[in-house]
Amino acid sequence: GQHVANLLAFQPDEQIAQVVYLRTYEDAPFLVLATRDGLVKKTRLAEYDSNRAGGVIAINLREGDELVAARLVGGDDDLLLVSRKGMSVRFKADDSALRPMGRATSGVTGMKFREGDQLLSMDVVRDVDDAFVFVVTEGGYAKRTPVTQYRVQGRGGLGIKVAKITDQRGDLVGAEIVGEDDEVLVVMERGKVVRSSVTGVPAKGRDTMGVVFAKPDAGDRII
C-alpha cells in the first residue's frame, strides 16, 4: 500500500485512531467519538462532509487525552464503553442522554475510571437478542457474554464488570459487539492473524476469565 499521508495532511505525531466505512454522509444521523479519558461526544454526521485534505476538527482534545473510537449511531441506539481493566458502561445515545454538539467541542463524561484504568473501546448496541460482548486479553484469552447481561445505566459512572482481569492474562486489548454468525480476527503486532468463529468461544457470565483464543509468540503481542 501507500502511506496515508499521501491522501491526508497529518500533523506531527498524529496517528489514525479509527477507520469508519460509509457511502454517504446520510448513512447515519450521528458520529460519536470517545477518548481515552472517557469523554464522548455526538455530532451530526453531515457536519463532517468536507473534502479538505487537511481535514476538519472532529473534537477539541483536552491536554494529555487522545481519541480511541468513532462510531456511526442512530438516535435509538445504545453505546457500550469498555475499559482496559474490564469495566463497562451501557447508556442510551438519544438526545436526552447525549445531546448533539458541534465539531469543535470536547464532549461530556461517558465513563469514569479507577486509578490506572482508561477507555479501550466503544461500540453500538443494536440487535440485542443475538448480540454478545466479545473481549480479548493481552495474553490471548477470549470470552463472550450476552449483551442482555449489560443493563442500561446512566452515562458517566464507573460501570459494571465485563471480565475478570488477572496479571497473568493481562488487560483487555479488544472489545466488540458480535452476533452468533460472526467471525473474529485477532491481529498480532508482527503481522500474524488468528481467525475464529464467535461460536468457538463459549458464552459465559460477565465475571469470568474466558478461554485460550490466540497465543502471541515470545516478543509479540496482540494489537
Side-chain angles (χ1 to χ4, degrees):
Q2 61 175 322
H3 198 278
V4 74
N6 295 325
L7 305 172
L8 306 170
F10 267 43
Q11 299 297 316
D13 299 324
E14 191 172 22
Q15 56 188 14
I16 296 169
Q18 185 85 56
V19 178
V20 179
Y21 166 77
L22 53 97
R23 290 180 182 273
T24 74
Y25 286 88
E26 285 76 50
D27 280 9
F30 301 103
L31 180 72
V32 175
L33 306 177
T35 77
R36 186 182 58 197
D37 290 346
L39 295 178
V40 294
K41 64 168 290 192
K42 181 174 76 174
T43 303
R44 296 197 178 280
L45 181 60
E47 291 195 31
Y48 294 93
D49 188 358
S50 167
N51 59 3
R52 288 182 54 207
V56 294
I57 292 174
I59 185 170
N60 280 344
L61 290 171
R62 298 177 184 176
E63 188 171 351
D65 202 1
E66 64 184 40
L67 191 69
V68 297
R71 288 285 186 270
L72 301 177
V73 299
D76 298 325
D77 294 332
D78 291 356
L79 291 170
L80 182 76
L81 304 182
V82 178
S83 80
R84 291 192 176 275
K85 298 292 185 184
M87 300 301 290
S88 68
V89 173
R90 175 182 173 185
F91 60 90
K92 293 284 184 191
D94 60 20
D95 290 354
S96 61
L98 188 63
R99 63 182 178 84
M101 300 175 134
R103 287 186 294 99
T105 56
S106 58
V108 294
T109 301
M111 185 175 185
K112 291 178 181 165
F113 308 106
R114 294 182 177 89
E115 188 174 354
D117 202 2
Q118 62 189 45
L119 189 68
L120 169 69
S121 72
M122 171 180 65
D123 214 341
V124 182
V125 182
R126 292 193 177 102
D127 302 321
V128 174
D129 294 338
D130 178 39
F132 296 86
V133 179
F134 189 100
V135 297
V136 180
T137 74
E138 291 169 326
Y141 290 81
K143 58 167 287 193
R144 64 183 172 109
T145 306
V147 164
T148 50
Q149 292 195 20
Y150 298 84
R151 68 183 185 274
V152 176
Q153 302 172 269
R155 175 177 57 74
L158 289 168
I160 59 176
K161 197 170 286 189
V162 70
K164 186 180 285 185
I165 299 298
T166 66
D167 290 342
Q168 176 201 358
R169 299 186 177 201
D171 292 345
L172 298 184
V173 290
E176 299 270 351
I177 294 180
V178 299
E180 281 275 7
D181 299 329
D182 286 337
E183 295 184 343
V184 175
L185 293 177
V186 171
V187 183
M188 312 286 181
E189 190 172 53
R190 295 186 176 177
K192 183 178 171 184
V193 172
V194 176
R195 172 182 170 182
S196 176
S197 65
V198 164
T199 51
V201 174
K204 301 273 189 180
R206 288 189 298 104
D207 194 14
T208 56
M209 289 192 288
V211 298
V212 175
F213 186 74
K215 289 303 261 183
D217 296 330
D220 203 359
R221 67 188 183 100
I222 297 169
I223 58 170

